Amino acid sequence: MINKDYIEGKDWTLFLDRDGTINKRVEDYVTTWDRFTFIEGVLEAISACSSFFGKIIIVTNQQGIGKELMTHDQVNDIHEKMLEVIEYYGGRIDAIYYEPSLAIYEAFGRKPNPGMAYFAKRDFPSIQFKKSIMVGDTLSDMQFGKAVGMKTCWIKNKWEMKNYDSISEFTDYEIEHLKELVLKIKSV
Ligand SMILES: [Mg+2]
């Protein structure tokens, strides 16, 4: 289904979750750059994805702000440094959207709700959800993608196995690591 001929043409968009997809999960929140650790091989994978996808967008829930455990400035600082490293490795991120509100408010901009997808479409009208892939490690990532008709790709992990039945309902592809997406794209 995903293959190079299918994806190329730059009209496809890759939506990426952040925590657990790009960087390793921590027990609470990644509040500062020294707590941000790239998952091995992710930088190379983003770099490879940059040549297949017209746009690469990060969408991330950051309710640590709502809990007052960190500030917008801290999150922006982390993202600035993250982008520097991604670009050093030849990768490209076109935009980052984060939602600071607490989960209990179920904000439109907080996954599983699709707000951040619409914000991206507002800023980049060429984005087509039918030609988009959402990659993430949780059920809410898969629900977010499916809410607007994207293809969804779940990064398997032990923490989310409790939700496996629901996840499989919303998931088109299961992978172990973002680099597997690159292999899937390359294979016909
Ligand atoms: Mg995540």
Side-chain angles (χ1 to χ4, degrees):
M1 191 65 179
I2 301 182
N3 67 57
K4 193 165 175 284
D5 296 331
Y6 188 59
I7 295 289
E8 263 186 350
K10 296 280 186 182
D11 51 352
W12 278 74
T13 301
L14 177 63
F15 283 85
L16 289 176
D17 166 53
R18 196 194 82 182
D19 302 322
T21 299
I22 295 174
N23 56 288
K24 292 181 183 169
R25 279 193 184 203
V26 295
E27 273 185 27
D28 47 3
Y29 298 95
V30 178
T31 51
T32 48
W33 177 243
D34 60 329
R35 306 198 66 202
F36 186 102
T37 313
F38 284 100
I39 294 169
E40 292 81 5
V42 148
L43 288 161
E44 292 80 357
I46 294 176
S47 174
C49 285
S50 300
S51 59
F52 296 118
F53 290 92
K55 295 270 178 290
I56 303 180
I57 311 283
I58 295 175
V59 285
T60 175
N61 290 345
Q62 293 298 330
Q63 71 162 334
I65 298 174
K67 290 186 176 178
E68 299 186 355
L69 298 170
M70 57 187 177
T71 62
H72 287 275
D73 282 351
Q74 278 173 282
V75 171
N76 288 325
D77 177 66
I78 290 167
H79 289 167
E80 218 171 275
K81 293 184 165 88
M82 175 186 76
L83 288 182
E84 264 177 42
V85 181
I86 288 173
E87 283 164 19
Y88 178 83
Y89 276 79
R92 186 196 77 245
I93 301 293
D94 295 281
I96 302 174
Y97 298 89
Y98 67 88
E99 172 53 48
S101 63
L102 294 173
I104 49 162
Y105 297 128
E106 298 178 1
F108 180 59
R110 182 179 163 84
K111 297 177 286 184
N113 295 328
M116 290 192 282
Y118 288 110
F119 304 154
K121 171 105 182 127
R122 172 198 65 198
D123 296 340
F124 303 97
S126 66
I127 290 176
Q128 304 172 62
F129 295 141
K130 270 197 281 186
K131 290 189 169 186
S132 296
I133 301 176
M134 172 67 200
V135 181
D137 66 324
T138 64
L139 173 59
S140 70
D141 294 315
M142 303 299 97
Q143 291 170 321
F144 165 87
K146 280 298 165 201
V148 295
M150 296 180 194
K151 298 256 177 278
T152 55
C153 189
W154 180 53
I155 297 184
K156 290 184 215 172
N157 63 91
K158 58 179 190 256
W159 300 279
E160 284 288 300
M161 283 313 287
K162 58 183 187 299
N163 295 325
Y164 185 75
D165 286 348
S166 313
I167 284 174
S168 54
E169 245 180 79
F170 291 91
T171 299
D172 295 307
Y173 311 101
E174 287 183 17
I175 56 176
E176 303 281 346
H177 186 288
L178 188 60
K179 66 188 173 198
E180 240 182 83
L181 178 69
V182 179
L183 297 175
K184 277 193 193 296
I185 291 169
K186 283 185 174 171
S187 67
V188 176

